Amino acid sequence: MRFTTVDYIIFVLLLVLSSAIGLYYALSGGKQRTMQEFLLANRSMSFLPISLSLLATFQSAVAILGVPSEIYRFGTEYWFLGCSYIIGLLIPAHIFIPVFYRLRLTSTYEYLELRFSKAVRICGTVTFIFQMVIYMGVVLYAPALAFNAVTGFSLWGAVLSMGLVCTLYTTLGGLKAVIWTDVIQTLVMFAGQLAVIIVGTIKVGGFDQVWNIATENNKIAGVNWNPDPFERHSFWSLAIGGIFMMLSLYGVNQAQVQRYLSSRTEKEAILSCYAVFPCQQLVLALGCLTGLVMFAYYKINPSAYPQDISVPDQMVLYFVMDILKDLPGLPGLFVACLFSGALSTISSAFNSLATVTMQDLIKPHFPSLTESQATWLSKGLALGYGLLCLGMAYISSLMGSVLQAALSIFGMVGGPLLGLFCLGFFFPFTNSIGAMSGLAAGLVMAFWIGIGSFVTRMPSVPPPPLLNATSVPDFGNLTTTVMSTLLTSPTAKKSVSGLQKFYSLSYMWYSAHNSTTVVIVGLIVSLLTGPTKGRDIDPRTVYLVLPKLLFFLPERYREKLRYGVPHIVEVGDCLSPRLLQVPYDEHSPPHDLVTEKSCNGFLNGNAKYSEKEEMEEKLSGFTRSDTGHSYVVQETSL
């Protein structure tokens, strides 16, 4: 099938609208003249656009193509992944977001320096950049390749149009443009998927007919309670393993955390996390329904089933083009839906990469940069990463089947990063040596499993003639292996043992396994090399779980569970804690932090709390208690 003029118009309108939003925010308001505005949207966003932007990043083109194919082939068991969403969002909302927001961070990895050391921060940053540079080229190239194979649409025309438009609005409009284009693209994604489901359901004969056909052919799966971690999908792997996947994205991933930090208040940031939950359930439901409708349609019309499908993701595109061919404009709407998913994930990658590069690798080494110079440099970084993305897309076209091996490795980097942040948050005695050792062990484990799993599958799964677009890791599943595992794993179980058995671990457990490796190794090494003393820890950087869980214990026992970490005593209602050193007062409790809150934007009614002072304070870290001073946490409003 080929596009009509109406389809091209709809597709072009999406690109034009995205570019226009970038130009609007480049020429209005503060015109992106400060780093706060360019990287954090001036911390002025409300929860609704942030939640839709979080969703757009989660719902990439990979998910639009991959989830229906999964349901078509294996049934609705994948739908149980939705059980993990609530816990996977509650923990970030009430643990990670408050800590990051009150520290007034720009890059997530600034936290690692405040909690551990500069070396840990650089290791985390470099790992993230390595992961994202590989990811963004593939997520740009793979959907364009699959679409080209089905429709004949120009491959490099699609790659260049998406890459250049995305680079344009990200570089010109900053995070605010990225968020608002994500909102538009989310609505387009919903419209495209709904159009396919509605038209497909009508052609099958109604939703009752779709459900009956799926039930008769055992596509409506029950709950699989098998706890075997080598079982491809079970309730435990989807619900529990899925929680770790969600945490790696919504808890510590720079692209998502950056959106929380752009909120007007901490409450708005938490609300955005709550608001994205029903949207995620809706997205998952739409993908699953598309798969069921597609199965019912080809069951009724077996002659319509395309015979030249080389990879599973093409099935969805063939289905869409088949049922929408008599409705001019709707194929273009679905293409806009597909490319909206790609644009939202790529723009998030550009912006987050520019942020961490600027904040973690450049600014600490060039502290004399003026605000204007830093802002222009950030824009240059966004532009540079955009052009690099096009280069990576070209490299992706040359890698062939080797690319799937690369993705199975780089897609699991999020697990070790999650483990690194968990070490800092929940275990106050861990030190920087333990953190770096744990991260290294987690990455080695991820590479080991990734390479082993790929190699053991090679004899039974011949390399496809075309790249499987669903082998690209969804931005919400950066901690899992590639979707090719999900889509090309054989349904028949084979008897394996030893290392082959280990390599057959369900991909849904990869994130949990790798992050747990980081935590265990980090704890052991920290204890062997000398644990950090509680009094030397900035209490804003840890979340003491045991004293909160065992709240019913007497005070003296709960105090021991704090491991000597100072208290924070809050006074007032404002946010944004700030440490000030004041002379020691014998009446003040030792190692405690007294929180004063000022809502007028001034310190002690006199000195304005400037952004420069805030950055200097963050870089200086936490002043130790053995210097003969006590501490006050001065909190100011936005």
Side-chain angles (χ1 to χ4, degrees), residues 285-343:
L286 289 176
C288 292
L289 288 174
T290 302
L292 291 178
V293 170
M294 183 166 63
F295 180 83
Y297 178 80
Y298 285 129
K299 199 68 179 176
I300 293 177
N301 306 288
S303 60
Y305 186 85
Q307 301 300 317
D308 55 347
I309 289 181
S310 56
V311 284
D313 61 285
Q314 293 180 1
M315 186 184 300
V316 179
L317 286 168
Y318 273 112
F319 169 65
V320 169
M321 295 305 166
D322 188 16
I323 65 171
L324 300 181
K325 61 186 175 184
D326 299 324
L327 301 168
L330 287 186
L333 178 62
F334 184 79
V335 171
C337 159
L338 182 66
F339 281 35
S340 288
L343 286 170

Short mmCIF file of all heavy atoms in Angstrom, two decimals, residues 285-343:
data_model
loop_
_atom_site.label_atom_id
_atom_site.label_comp_id
_atom_site.label_asym_id
_atom_site.label_seq_id
_atom_site.Cartn_x
_atom_site.Cartn_y
_atom_site.Cartn_z
N ALA A 285 -3.77 -1.17 27.90
CA ALA A 285 -5.04 -1.74 27.43
C ALA A 285 -5.20 -1.55 25.92
O ALA A 285 -5.64 -2.47 25.21
CB ALA A 285 -6.21 -1.12 28.19
N LEU A 286 -4.86 -0.36 25.41
CA LEU A 286 -4.98 -0.11 23.98
C LEU A 286 -4.08 -1.04 23.17
O LEU A 286 -4.48 -1.58 22.13
CB LEU A 286 -4.64 1.36 23.67
CG LEU A 286 -5.64 2.41 24.14
CD1 LEU A 286 -5.12 3.81 23.85
CD2 LEU A 286 -7.00 2.21 23.47
N GLY A 287 -2.85 -1.23 23.65
CA GLY A 287 -1.94 -2.13 22.96
C GLY A 287 -2.45 -3.56 22.94
O GLY A 287 -2.39 -4.25 21.91
N CYS A 288 -2.96 -4.01 24.09
CA CYS A 288 -3.48 -5.38 24.18
C CYS A 288 -4.73 -5.56 23.32
O CYS A 288 -4.90 -6.59 22.66
CB CYS A 288 -3.77 -5.73 25.64
SG CYS A 288 -2.29 -5.84 26.68
N LEU A 289 -5.61 -4.57 23.34
CA LEU A 289 -6.83 -4.66 22.52
C LEU A 289 -6.48 -4.68 21.03
O LEU A 289 -7.12 -5.39 20.24
CB LEU A 289 -7.77 -3.48 22.83
CG LEU A 289 -8.47 -3.54 24.19
CD1 LEU A 289 -9.24 -2.26 24.44
CD2 LEU A 289 -9.41 -4.75 24.25
N THR A 290 -5.49 -3.89 20.63
CA THR A 290 -5.06 -3.91 19.23
C THR A 290 -4.61 -5.31 18.83
O THR A 290 -4.93 -5.81 17.74
CB THR A 290 -3.92 -2.90 19.00
OG1 THR A 290 -4.34 -1.60 19.39
CG2 THR A 290 -3.49 -2.89 17.54
N GLY A 291 -3.86 -5.97 19.73
CA GLY A 291 -3.41 -7.33 19.45
C GLY A 291 -4.56 -8.31 19.32
O GLY A 291 -4.56 -9.17 18.42
N LEU A 292 -5.57 -8.19 20.19
CA LEU A 292 -6.72 -9.09 20.13
C LEU A 292 -7.54 -8.86 18.86
O LEU A 292 -8.00 -9.82 18.21
CB LEU A 292 -7.61 -8.89 21.37
CG LEU A 292 -7.02 -9.35 22.71
CD1 LEU A 292 -7.99 -9.04 23.84
CD2 LEU A 292 -6.70 -10.85 22.67
N VAL A 293 -7.75 -7.59 18.51
CA VAL A 293 -8.50 -7.27 17.28
C VAL A 293 -7.76 -7.81 16.06
O VAL A 293 -8.37 -8.36 15.14
CB VAL A 293 -8.72 -5.75 17.18
CG1 VAL A 293 -9.29 -5.38 15.80
CG2 VAL A 293 -9.66 -5.26 18.28
N MET A 294 -6.44 -7.65 16.06
CA MET A 294 -5.64 -8.14 14.95
C MET A 294 -5.75 -9.66 14.82
O MET A 294 -5.90 -10.19 13.70
CB MET A 294 -4.18 -7.72 15.17
CG MET A 294 -3.23 -8.09 14.05
SD MET A 294 -1.64 -7.24 14.18
CE MET A 294 -1.03 -7.90 15.73
N PHE A 295 -5.71 -10.37 15.94
CA PHE A 295 -5.83 -11.82 15.91
C PHE A 295 -7.20 -12.24 15.37
O PHE A 295 -7.32 -13.13 14.52
CB PHE A 295 -5.63 -12.39 17.31
CG PHE A 295 -5.76 -13.89 17.37
CD1 PHE A 295 -4.67 -14.69 17.05
CD2 PHE A 295 -6.95 -14.50 17.72
CE1 PHE A 295 -4.77 -16.08 17.09
CE2 PHE A 295 -7.07 -15.88 17.76
CZ PHE A 295 -5.98 -16.67 17.44
N ALA A 296 -8.26 -11.59 15.87
CA ALA A 296 -9.62 -11.94 15.43
C ALA A 296 -9.80 -11.66 13.94
O ALA A 296 -10.43 -12.44 13.21
CB ALA A 296 -10.64 -11.17 16.26
N TYR A 297 -9.24 -10.55 13.47
CA TYR A 297 -9.39 -10.17 12.06
C TYR A 297 -8.76 -11.22 11.14
O TYR A 297 -9.36 -11.65 10.15
CB TYR A 297 -8.74 -8.81 11.83
CG TYR A 297 -8.79 -8.34 10.40
CD1 TYR A 297 -9.95 -7.77 9.88
CD2 TYR A 297 -7.68 -8.47 9.56
CE1 TYR A 297 -10.00 -7.33 8.56
CE2 TYR A 297 -7.73 -8.05 8.24
CZ TYR A 297 -8.89 -7.48 7.75
OH TYR A 297 -8.94 -7.06 6.44
N TYR A 298 -7.54 -11.65 11.47
CA TYR A 298 -6.87 -12.64 10.62
C TYR A 298 -7.44 -14.04 10.80
O TYR A 298 -7.27 -14.90 9.92
CB TYR A 298 -5.37 -12.63 10.88
CG TYR A 298 -4.67 -11.42 10.29
CD1 TYR A 298 -3.82 -10.62 11.05
CD2 TYR A 298 -4.87 -11.08 8.95
CE1 TYR A 298 -3.20 -9.52 10.50
CE2 TYR A 298 -4.25 -9.97 8.39
CZ TYR A 298 -3.42 -9.19 9.17
OH TYR A 298 -2.81 -8.10 8.62
N LYS A 299 -8.12 -14.29 11.91
CA LYS A 299 -8.78 -15.58 12.10
C LYS A 299 -10.01 -15.67 11.19
O LYS A 299 -10.30 -16.72 10.62
CB LYS A 299 -9.19 -15.73 13.57
CG LYS A 299 -9.46 -17.17 13.98
CD LYS A 299 -8.17 -17.98 13.98
CE LYS A 299 -8.42 -19.41 14.42
NZ LYS A 299 -7.20 -20.22 14.34
N ILE A 300 -10.70 -14.54 11.06
CA ILE A 300 -11.88 -14.50 10.19
C ILE A 300 -11.47 -14.40 8.72
O ILE A 300 -12.12 -14.95 7.84
CB ILE A 300 -12.78 -13.30 10.59
CG1 ILE A 300 -13.38 -13.53 11.97
CG2 ILE A 300 -13.88 -13.07 9.55
CD1 ILE A 300 -14.21 -12.37 12.47
N ASN A 301 -10.38 -13.66 8.46
CA ASN A 301 -9.92 -13.45 7.09
C ASN A 301 -8.51 -14.02 6.91
O ASN A 301 -7.54 -13.26 6.76
CB ASN A 301 -9.92 -11.95 6.75
CG ASN A 301 -11.26 -11.31 7.01
OD1 ASN A 301 -12.21 -11.52 6.28
ND2 ASN A 301 -11.32 -10.49 8.05
N PRO A 302 -8.36 -15.36 6.91
CA PRO A 302 -7.01 -15.93 6.81
C PRO A 302 -6.31 -15.59 5.50
O PRO A 302 -5.09 -15.53 5.44
CB PRO A 302 -7.26 -17.45 6.93
CG PRO A 302 -8.70 -17.63 6.58
CD PRO A 302 -9.41 -16.40 7.01
N SER A 303 -7.09 -15.36 4.45
CA SER A 303 -6.47 -15.04 3.16
C SER A 303 -5.81 -13.66 3.17
O SER A 303 -4.94 -13.37 2.35
CB SER A 303 -7.52 -15.09 2.05
OG SER A 303 -8.56 -14.15 2.31
N ALA A 304 -6.23 -12.81 4.13
CA ALA A 304 -5.67 -11.46 4.20
C ALA A 304 -4.33 -11.44 4.93
O ALA A 304 -3.62 -10.42 4.91
CB ALA A 304 -6.65 -10.53 4.91
N TYR A 305 -3.98 -12.57 5.56
CA TYR A 305 -2.74 -12.59 6.34
C TYR A 305 -1.54 -12.43 5.41
O TYR A 305 -1.38 -13.19 4.45
CB TYR A 305 -2.61 -13.90 7.11
CG TYR A 305 -1.42 -13.93 8.06
CD1 TYR A 305 -1.54 -13.40 9.34
CD2 TYR A 305 -0.21 -14.48 7.67
CE1 TYR A 305 -0.45 -13.42 10.22
CE2 TYR A 305 0.88 -14.50 8.53
CZ TYR A 305 0.74 -13.97 9.80
OH TYR A 305 1.81 -13.98 10.66
N PRO A 306 -0.69 -11.44 5.65
CA PRO A 306 0.46 -11.20 4.77
C PRO A 306 1.47 -12.34 4.88
O PRO A 306 1.83 -12.76 5.97
CB PRO A 306 1.04 -9.88 5.29
CG PRO A 306 0.57 -9.79 6.70
CD PRO A 306 -0.75 -10.47 6.77
N GLN A 307 1.94 -12.82 3.72
CA GLN A 307 2.85 -13.95 3.71
C GLN A 307 4.31 -13.55 3.76
O GLN A 307 5.18 -14.38 4.01
CB GLN A 307 2.60 -14.77 2.43
CG GLN A 307 1.19 -15.30 2.30
CD GLN A 307 0.79 -16.20 3.46
OE1 GLN A 307 1.57 -17.06 3.89
NE2 GLN A 307 -0.42 -16.01 3.99
N ASP A 308 4.60 -12.29 3.51
CA ASP A 308 6.00 -11.87 3.42
C ASP A 308 6.48 -11.13 4.67
O ASP A 308 7.36 -10.28 4.60
CB ASP A 308 6.19 -10.99 2.19
CG ASP A 308 5.23 -9.80 2.18
OD1 ASP A 308 4.27 -9.81 2.98
OD2 ASP A 308 5.43 -8.89 1.36
N ILE A 309 5.89 -11.44 5.84
CA ILE A 309 6.36 -10.82 7.09
C ILE A 309 7.67 -11.49 7.51
O ILE A 309 7.75 -12.70 7.64
CB ILE A 309 5.30 -10.98 8.20
CG1 ILE A 309 4.10 -10.08 7.92
CG2 ILE A 309 5.90 -10.62 9.55
CD1 ILE A 309 3.04 -10.16 8.97
N SER A 310 8.69 -10.68 7.69
CA SER A 310 9.98 -11.22 8.09
C SER A 310 10.24 -11.06 9.57
O SER A 310 11.03 -11.80 10.15
CB SER A 310 11.11 -10.55 7.29
OG SER A 310 11.06 -9.15 7.46
N VAL A 311 9.61 -10.08 10.19
CA VAL A 311 9.76 -9.87 11.63
C VAL A 311 8.40 -9.49 12.21
O VAL A 311 7.56 -8.92 11.53
CB VAL A 311 10.79 -8.75 11.94
CG1 VAL A 311 12.20 -9.26 11.75
CG2 VAL A 311 10.55 -7.52 11.09
N PRO A 312 8.14 -9.81 13.49
CA PRO A 312 6.80 -9.66 14.06
C PRO A 312 6.26 -8.24 14.05
O PRO A 312 5.06 -8.04 13.90
CB PRO A 312 6.97 -10.16 15.50
CG PRO A 312 8.13 -11.08 15.45
CD PRO A 312 9.04 -10.52 14.43
N ASP A 313 7.13 -7.23 14.20
CA ASP A 313 6.60 -5.87 14.30
C ASP A 313 5.92 -5.42 13.01
O ASP A 313 5.06 -4.54 13.03
CB ASP A 313 7.73 -4.89 14.66
CG ASP A 313 8.82 -4.87 13.62
OD1 ASP A 313 9.60 -5.84 13.58
OD2 ASP A 313 8.88 -3.92 12.82
N GLN A 314 6.32 -6.00 11.87
CA GLN A 314 5.69 -5.62 10.61
C GLN A 314 4.22 -6.04 10.57
O GLN A 314 3.44 -5.45 9.83
CB GLN A 314 6.44 -6.27 9.44
CG GLN A 314 7.84 -5.74 9.24
CD GLN A 314 8.55 -6.40 8.08
OE1 GLN A 314 7.98 -7.26 7.41
NE2 GLN A 314 9.79 -6.01 7.85
N MET A 315 3.86 -7.03 11.38
CA MET A 315 2.49 -7.52 11.39
C MET A 315 1.50 -6.41 11.71
O MET A 315 0.44 -6.29 11.08
CB MET A 315 2.38 -8.65 12.42
CG MET A 315 1.04 -9.37 12.43
SD MET A 315 1.01 -10.58 13.76
CE MET A 315 2.37 -11.64 13.27
N VAL A 316 1.84 -5.59 12.70
CA VAL A 316 0.95 -4.51 13.11
C VAL A 316 0.76 -3.52 11.96
O VAL A 316 -0.36 -3.08 11.68
CB VAL A 316 1.50 -3.80 14.36
CG1 VAL A 316 0.58 -2.66 14.78
CG2 VAL A 316 1.68 -4.78 15.51
N LEU A 317 1.85 -3.18 11.29
CA LEU A 317 1.75 -2.21 10.20
C LEU A 317 0.96 -2.77 9.02
O LEU A 317 0.14 -2.07 8.42
CB LEU A 317 3.15 -1.81 9.75
CG LEU A 317 3.89 -0.88 10.72
CD1 LEU A 317 5.35 -0.78 10.37
CD2 LEU A 317 3.26 0.49 10.73
N TYR A 318 1.17 -4.03 8.68
CA TYR A 318 0.37 -4.66 7.61
C TYR A 318 -1.11 -4.64 7.99
O TYR A 318 -1.98 -4.35 7.14
CB TYR A 318 0.83 -6.10 7.38
CG TYR A 318 1.97 -6.23 6.41
CD1 TYR A 318 3.22 -6.64 6.83
CD2 TYR A 318 1.79 -5.95 5.05
CE1 TYR A 318 4.28 -6.78 5.94
CE2 TYR A 318 2.83 -6.10 4.15
CZ TYR A 318 4.08 -6.50 4.60
OH TYR A 318 5.11 -6.64 3.71
N PHE A 319 -1.39 -4.96 9.23
CA PHE A 319 -2.78 -4.98 9.69
C PHE A 319 -3.41 -3.60 9.58
O PHE A 319 -4.53 -3.43 9.07
CB PHE A 319 -2.82 -5.47 11.13
CG PHE A 319 -4.15 -5.31 11.82
CD1 PHE A 319 -5.27 -6.00 11.39
CD2 PHE A 319 -4.28 -4.43 12.89
CE1 PHE A 319 -6.49 -5.84 12.02
CE2 PHE A 319 -5.50 -4.26 13.53
CZ PHE A 319 -6.61 -4.97 13.09
N VAL A 320 -2.70 -2.59 10.05
CA VAL A 320 -3.21 -1.22 10.01
C VAL A 320 -3.46 -0.77 8.58
O VAL A 320 -4.52 -0.20 8.26
CB VAL A 320 -2.22 -0.26 10.71
CG1 VAL A 320 -2.59 1.19 10.46
CG2 VAL A 320 -2.19 -0.54 12.22
N MET A 321 -2.49 -1.02 7.71
CA MET A 321 -2.64 -0.58 6.32
C MET A 321 -3.77 -1.36 5.61
O MET A 321 -4.41 -0.85 4.70
CB MET A 321 -1.32 -0.77 5.56
CG MET A 321 -0.20 0.12 6.09
SD MET A 321 -0.68 1.86 6.09
CE MET A 321 0.62 2.55 7.12
N ASP A 322 -4.02 -2.58 6.05
CA ASP A 322 -5.07 -3.39 5.44
C ASP A 322 -6.45 -2.88 5.81
O ASP A 322 -7.31 -2.68 4.94
CB ASP A 322 -4.89 -4.85 5.88
CG ASP A 322 -5.83 -5.78 5.14
OD1 ASP A 322 -6.38 -5.37 4.09
OD2 ASP A 322 -6.02 -6.93 5.60
N ILE A 323 -6.68 -2.63 7.10
CA ILE A 323 -8.03 -2.25 7.52
C ILE A 323 -8.33 -0.77 7.28
O ILE A 323 -9.51 -0.37 7.23
CB ILE A 323 -8.26 -2.59 9.01
CG1 ILE A 323 -7.35 -1.75 9.92
CG2 ILE A 323 -8.09 -4.07 9.26
CD1 ILE A 323 -7.68 -1.88 11.39
N LEU A 324 -7.30 0.06 7.12
CA LEU A 324 -7.53 1.49 6.94
C LEU A 324 -7.35 1.95 5.50
O LEU A 324 -7.44 3.15 5.22
CB LEU A 324 -6.58 2.30 7.85
CG LEU A 324 -6.67 2.06 9.35
CD1 LEU A 324 -5.69 2.97 10.09
CD2 LEU A 324 -8.09 2.31 9.87
N LYS A 325 -7.12 0.99 4.57
CA LYS A 325 -6.78 1.38 3.21
C LYS A 325 -7.91 2.13 2.50
O LYS A 325 -7.67 2.91 1.58
CB LYS A 325 -6.38 0.14 2.40
CG LYS A 325 -7.49 -0.91 2.29
CD LYS A 325 -6.96 -2.16 1.61
CE LYS A 325 -8.03 -3.25 1.60
NZ LYS A 325 -7.51 -4.52 1.03
N ASP A 326 -9.17 1.89 2.91
CA ASP A 326 -10.30 2.56 2.26
C ASP A 326 -10.71 3.83 2.98
O ASP A 326 -11.74 4.43 2.67
CB ASP A 326 -11.50 1.61 2.20
CG ASP A 326 -11.19 0.36 1.39
OD1 ASP A 326 -10.46 0.49 0.39
OD2 ASP A 326 -11.67 -0.73 1.76
N LEU A 327 -9.93 4.24 3.96
CA LEU A 327 -10.27 5.43 4.76
C LEU A 327 -9.12 6.43 4.67
O LEU A 327 -8.21 6.43 5.51
CB LEU A 327 -10.52 5.04 6.22
CG LEU A 327 -11.65 4.03 6.45
CD1 LEU A 327 -11.62 3.50 7.87
CD2 LEU A 327 -13.00 4.68 6.15
N PRO A 328 -9.10 7.28 3.65
CA PRO A 328 -7.99 8.22 3.45
C PRO A 328 -7.78 9.09 4.70
O PRO A 328 -8.73 9.59 5.30
CB PRO A 328 -8.45 9.08 2.27
CG PRO A 328 -9.44 8.22 1.55
CD PRO A 328 -10.13 7.42 2.61
N GLY A 329 -6.55 9.23 5.09
CA GLY A 329 -6.22 10.04 6.25
C GLY A 329 -5.92 9.22 7.48
O GLY A 329 -5.05 9.59 8.28
N LEU A 330 -6.62 8.11 7.66
CA LEU A 330 -6.40 7.30 8.86
C LEU A 330 -5.04 6.57 8.84
O LEU A 330 -4.39 6.48 9.88
CB LEU A 330 -7.54 6.31 9.06
CG LEU A 330 -8.86 6.92 9.55
CD1 LEU A 330 -9.87 5.82 9.86
CD2 LEU A 330 -8.65 7.81 10.75
N PRO A 331 -4.57 6.06 7.68
CA PRO A 331 -3.20 5.54 7.69
C PRO A 331 -2.18 6.59 8.07
O PRO A 331 -1.23 6.32 8.81
CB PRO A 331 -3.00 5.07 6.23
CG PRO A 331 -4.37 4.74 5.75
CD PRO A 331 -5.26 5.77 6.40
N GLY A 332 -2.40 7.80 7.58
CA GLY A 332 -1.50 8.91 7.96
C GLY A 332 -1.57 9.21 9.44
O GLY A 332 -0.56 9.56 10.07
N LEU A 333 -2.77 9.08 10.02
CA LEU A 333 -2.92 9.31 11.46
C LEU A 333 -2.15 8.27 12.26
O LEU A 333 -1.49 8.60 13.25
CB LEU A 333 -4.41 9.26 11.84
CG LEU A 333 -4.74 9.44 13.33
CD1 LEU A 333 -4.29 10.81 13.81
CD2 LEU A 333 -6.23 9.25 13.58
N PHE A 334 -2.20 7.01 11.81
CA PHE A 334 -1.46 5.98 12.55
C PHE A 334 0.04 6.17 12.40
O PHE A 334 0.80 5.95 13.34
CB PHE A 334 -1.85 4.57 12.07
CG PHE A 334 -1.18 3.50 12.88
CD1 PHE A 334 -1.69 3.14 14.13
CD2 PHE A 334 -0.04 2.86 12.43
CE1 PHE A 334 -1.07 2.17 14.90
CE2 PHE A 334 0.58 1.88 13.20
CZ PHE A 334 0.07 1.54 14.43
N VAL A 335 0.48 6.59 11.22
CA VAL A 335 1.91 6.87 11.03
C VAL A 335 2.33 8.02 11.94
O VAL A 335 3.40 7.99 12.57
CB VAL A 335 2.21 7.21 9.56
CG1 VAL A 335 3.64 7.70 9.41
CG2 VAL A 335 1.98 5.99 8.70
N ALA A 336 1.47 9.04 12.03
CA ALA A 336 1.76 10.15 12.95
C ALA A 336 1.81 9.64 14.38
O ALA A 336 2.65 10.08 15.18
CB ALA A 336 0.69 11.23 12.81
N CYS A 337 0.92 8.70 14.71
CA CYS A 337 0.91 8.07 16.04
C CYS A 337 2.23 7.35 16.30
O CYS A 337 2.86 7.51 17.35
CB CYS A 337 -0.26 7.10 16.13
SG CYS A 337 -0.15 5.83 17.39
N LEU A 338 2.68 6.57 15.30
CA LEU A 338 3.91 5.80 15.43
C LEU A 338 5.13 6.71 15.59
O LEU A 338 5.96 6.53 16.47
CB LEU A 338 4.07 4.91 14.20
CG LEU A 338 5.28 3.99 14.16
CD1 LEU A 338 5.18 2.93 15.24
CD2 LEU A 338 5.38 3.34 12.78
N PHE A 339 5.19 7.73 14.75
CA PHE A 339 6.35 8.62 14.78
C PHE A 339 6.28 9.58 15.97
O PHE A 339 7.30 10.11 16.39
CB PHE A 339 6.46 9.37 13.46
CG PHE A 339 7.07 8.54 12.36
CD1 PHE A 339 6.83 7.18 12.29
CD2 PHE A 339 7.90 9.10 11.40
CE1 PHE A 339 7.38 6.40 11.30
CE2 PHE A 339 8.47 8.32 10.40
CZ PHE A 339 8.21 6.96 10.35
N SER A 340 5.09 9.82 16.51
CA SER A 340 4.98 10.61 17.74
C SER A 340 5.68 9.88 18.88
O SER A 340 6.36 10.49 19.71
CB SER A 340 3.51 10.83 18.11
OG SER A 340 2.90 11.74 17.23
N GLY A 341 5.48 8.56 18.92
CA GLY A 341 6.17 7.78 19.94
C GLY A 341 7.68 7.90 19.80
O GLY A 341 8.40 8.03 20.79
N ALA A 342 8.17 7.85 18.56
CA ALA A 342 9.61 7.97 18.35
C ALA A 342 10.11 9.37 18.72
O ALA A 342 11.14 9.52 19.38
CB ALA A 342 9.94 7.66 16.89
N LEU A 343 9.38 10.41 18.30
CA LEU A 343 9.80 11.78 18.59
C LEU A 343 9.87 12.04 20.09
O LEU A 343 10.79 12.69 20.58
CB LEU A 343 8.82 12.77 17.94
CG LEU A 343 8.92 12.95 16.43
CD1 LEU A 343 7.75 13.77 15.91
CD2 LEU A 343 10.24 13.61 16.04
#
